[in-house]
Structure formats: structure tokens, C-alpha cells
Amino acid sequence: MELSLNSDEAIVKLMLILAHADENYHENEEKVIKDIVKKNNIKISSYQKILEEVKSLKGSYKEECLKALQLIKDENLRQKTLKSLTNLAAADFILHEDEMLLLQLISDEWGMYQHKLIN
């Protein structure tokens, strides 16, 4: 059963997809995500449901990633999200190919590139 998500929950889902892209949910990644959950007042039960959904995904994360991206409409929120995802990718001190591909997919989908994110 697919969950109905708001934009904050969609961000958590994107972060969990990225964190699981290398098939290793590192404790530093978990800490970063749980900090976002707390900061955005997302219920732990919602986090757990999203986590279980991501863990049970079969095959490519691309389709689920694209669905979650559609739920985040605000330009400023998209910029913050992409920055958070980039920080998350570096949280385990290794930038994996699958993580880079997902970040590229997100930046392409939202029309955001590095020169727009650096101020």
C-alpha cells in the first residue's frame, strides 16, 4: 500500500531513498534524517512507515523518487531539499555512484544545477 505524503514527508522519503541507494543505511545518514524528521515535526510513526516502504521497494528507486519529487512544489523548499540531499550523500563519507545518479535525476527534474545552489 502506497502512503499519501505531504511535502515534508516526501523530503524524508527522498532522503531515505538516497540513503538506501548504496544498500547501506549508515548511522550518520540515519542521524541526519531523524534530525529532519524532528525539525519538521513529522511523527516517528510516519517516519517508520516511510522507512518500511523504502526498504520494501523492488528494483530501481527512480520511479519512487520521481513520484516524491512531484510533491515538492515550492522552489525554496526544493533548493533546501537538494542541499540536504547532497549533505546526506556525504554523511557516510563515501559518495556512491547510485547516490550521484539520484542527485542528478533530482537536479534535472527540478531544473537545478550547481551554479544556482551556490550563493
Side-chain angles (χ1 to χ4, degrees), residues 19-71:
H20 285 84
D22 63 359
E23 299 177 1
N24 180 25
Y25 191 24
H26 193 274
E27 64 185 60
N28 290 352
E29 294 170 325
E30 184 176 14
K31 182 183 180 319
V32 169
I33 294 171
K34 284 187 173 177
D35 286 347
I36 297 277
V37 166
K38 186 176 182 180
K39 187 175 122 188
N40 291 332
N41 296 315
I42 296 170
K43 294 178 184 173
I44 288 294
S45 60
S46 294
Y47 161 79
Q48 292 292 345
K49 286 176 187 172
I50 297 166
L51 176 62
E52 289 308 312
E53 183 181 323
V54 169
K55 285 173 145 181
S56 69
L57 291 174
K58 304 287 187 257
S60 171
Y61 290 125
K62 181 179 178 180
E63 186 177 318
E64 288 301 315
C65 184
L66 289 170
K67 284 184 202 173
L69 291 175
Q70 302 307 313
L71 299 173

Side-chain angles (χ1 to χ4, degrees), residues 44-45 82 86 110 112 118:
I44 288 294
S45 60
L82 191 53
T86 303
W110 283 345
M112 295 180 174
I118 296 175

